[in-house]
Amino acid sequence: TAPAEANPTKRDFFSNDELKSEATDGILNFDERNPFGITMADLTTILTSQTISSNTSSVVFDRKHGDRDPLISVSVGTVTGTNPTLTPTLMHSLDGSTWDTLATASAITATAGKVIFGPARTLSIGRFLRLDLVVGGTTPVFNTTEVKLQLN
């Protein structure tokens, strides 16, 4: 007879080819086959890669019941201009028309800059979210700027 497997219930889900084939954008979302209850949050692009030289807002994201706290990732490629700044502000709204500041990140001022931020966990969060990018400096240009939203 063959020897018994030392730990037959232990599985490495991150190297399971069957689950990898279901991944989209490199994010694995496990289902009932995951006995450990591990869930990886989806990333949603709310501002596609573009050049920004003036104040800009992302698309509005409509949160669903049960969505968790938002986490924002803002990435930029090259930056030009004199004293350029790009300040990301996460906005929220109950009705999609009246907006309030939920969280503000430190300004991005350099090439290949990136900031990841979110609101304090004690705050109530409105149904709708968007990101405002406020540009400062003299003739600032932020190339290949992209914003992603993750609901933790």
Side-chain angles (χ1 to χ4, degrees):
T1 59
E5 190 175 314
N7 187 352
T9 60
K10 182 179 178 186
R11 291 181 62 193
D12 181 359
F13 286 98
F14 293 99
S15 65
N16 186 315
D17 290 334
E18 179 183 343
L19 291 176
K20 279 183 183 176
S21 67
E22 295 177 9
T24 58
D25 297 330
I27 304 297
L28 291 175
N29 293 304
F30 297 107
D31 58 19
E32 65 276 355
R33 294 175 291 180
N34 175 13
F36 304 110
I38 299 169
T39 302
M40 304 295 275
D42 288 324
L43 291 175
T44 302
T45 300
I46 59 173
L47 185 71
T48 56
S49 187
Q50 60 186 273
T51 297
I52 295 178
S53 58
S54 61
N55 295 348
T56 303
S57 292
S58 72
V59 297
V60 174
F61 182 82
D62 187 1
R63 297 175 68 228
K64 295 176 181 60
H65 179 72
D67 278 350
R68 299 180 184 232
D69 297 337
L71 187 64
I72 298 289
S73 169
V74 181
S75 303
V76 299
T78 58
V79 177
T80 60
T82 304
N83 300 318
T85 61
L86 182 69
T87 305
T89 302
L90 179 60
M91 307 295 288
H92 71 130
S93 171
L94 296 174
D95 59 9
S97 62
T98 303
W99 295 91
D100 293 306
T101 298
L102 188 58
T104 300
S106 300
I108 298 172
T109 60
T111 293
K114 183 172 188 171
V115 64
I116 298 174
F117 73 105
R121 295 190 149 236
T122 57
L123 295 175
S124 295
I125 300 172
R127 174 178 169 182
F128 302 97
L129 298 173
R130 78 167 191 227
L131 189 82
D132 290 348
L133 296 170
V134 178
V135 175
T138 305
T139 61
V141 177
F142 294 84
N143 292 300
T144 60
T145 302
E146 182 176 64
V147 178
K148 292 191 180 283
L149 167 70
Q150 175 180 323
L151 297 170
N152 292 327

